[in-house]
Amino acid sequence: MHFTKAQIDALEKHTRTHLINSLSGFKSANLIGTQDLLGNTNLSIVSSVIHLGANPPLVAMIIRPHSVPRHTFENILQTGIYTINQVNKSIYKQAHQTSARYDKDESEFDATGLTPEYLNDFAAPFVQESRLKYSVKFVENQHLAINGTELVIGEIMDVYVDKAALQSDGFLDLQAIETVAVTGLDSYHTSNKLMRLPYAKKP
């Protein structure tokens, strides 16, 4: 089946959104934990976390346009810190529920039954039920004028991972800790690893 640009533009809004959001394939499902200066906690699911570099260890994510209150983005700008918590099979339904629009004084932790956890004196909350999580220090954001989104870049400070996932060479076996992936906006998947391949060299 072929969709032209004109046909894509003519699609009903939700149909177009599902189609375009599905094109990039399997994405990581992450819960972003933040807290404002008054102690109000926030938790939001984000599927746009990407690796930027290993030295220094940097990650980025896309935050949707700030045309409505974006508590996650506002808290990051206010405090300069946040946590990234991978979603696993045991909590994906609760993680998905964090995408609902809660008021600023309503904590998604309370609303979904997930447990805030504070580690190593880091002031942003982790998700206790997550089996791979890390603290992040905000470095910079870049406003993308083309669609009004924000590219948020942070440096990884501390990593907490279930030792079942950690292999001797530092590789993380995400399947071992039942990490889930997401496609589109609402379809969650477990993985089935084929194999690890050796470093590719020219014959």
Side-chain angles (χ1 to χ4, degrees):
M1 189 167 186
H2 173 212
F3 289 93
T4 66
K5 177 65 166 60
Q7 289 172 322
I8 293 171
D9 290 343
L11 289 172
E12 186 272 331
K13 177 183 176 182
H14 288 93
T15 301
R16 182 175 64 251
T17 298
H18 282 300
L19 174 66
I20 299 304
N21 271 284
S22 298
L23 291 178
S24 55
F26 295 111
K27 298 168 287 188
S28 63
N30 300 278
L31 287 165
I32 310 302
T34 61
Q35 180 171 291
D36 67 17
L37 295 178
L38 298 176
N40 296 306
T41 59
N42 179 264
L43 194 62
S44 63
I45 190 165
V46 170
S47 62
S48 62
V49 173
I50 56 172
H51 162 81
L52 279 190
N55 188 24
L58 300 174
V59 289
M61 63 181 174
I62 295 292
I63 301 290
R64 288 184 293 174
H66 206 194
S67 54
V68 298
R70 300 287 180 200
H71 304 145
T72 294
F73 185 52
E74 293 162 8
N75 290 350
I76 290 172
L77 293 180
Q78 187 180 90
T79 65
I81 57 172
Y82 53 104
T83 68
I84 299 181
N85 308 263
Q86 283 199 355
V87 176
N88 58 56
K89 186 177 178 180
S90 298
I91 61 171
Y92 76 94
K93 291 182 180 178
Q94 293 156 287
H96 180 75
Q97 182 60 31
T98 67
S99 63
R101 292 194 177 182
Y102 293 97
D103 293 334
K104 187 167 179 60
D105 60 356
E106 293 180 289
S107 172
E108 287 82 359
F109 283 100
D110 294 337
T112 63
L114 293 171
T115 310
E117 179 179 35
Y118 294 89
L119 301 171
N120 199 31
D121 295 323
F122 198 71
F126 293 88
V127 176
Q128 187 178 77
E129 293 83 358
S130 176
R131 300 175 71 181
L132 171 57
K133 47 204 167 192
Y134 42 104
S135 59
V136 185
K137 179 178 69 175
F138 173 67
V139 176
E140 66 176 278
N141 72 284
Q142 297 181 13
H143 178 74
L144 304 183
I146 192 169
N147 64 355
T149 58
E150 300 288 341
L151 176 67
V152 177
I153 299 171
E155 182 173 4
I156 296 169
M157 306 304 291
D158 292 281
V159 175
Y160 303 90
V161 58
D162 189 319
K163 58 181 164 183
L166 183 61
Q167 299 194 355
S168 60
D169 63 353
F171 176 78
L172 293 178
D173 182 356
L174 301 183
Q175 186 171 304
I177 54 175
E178 298 186 312
T179 296
V180 302
V182 60
T183 55
L185 299 173
D186 53 15
S187 182
Y188 295 85
H189 311 262
T190 54
S191 64
N192 184 18
K193 184 173 69 175
L194 298 177
M195 67 180 298
R196 288 185 73 187
L197 298 176
Y199 185 80
K201 297 181 180 179
K202 186 176 178 180

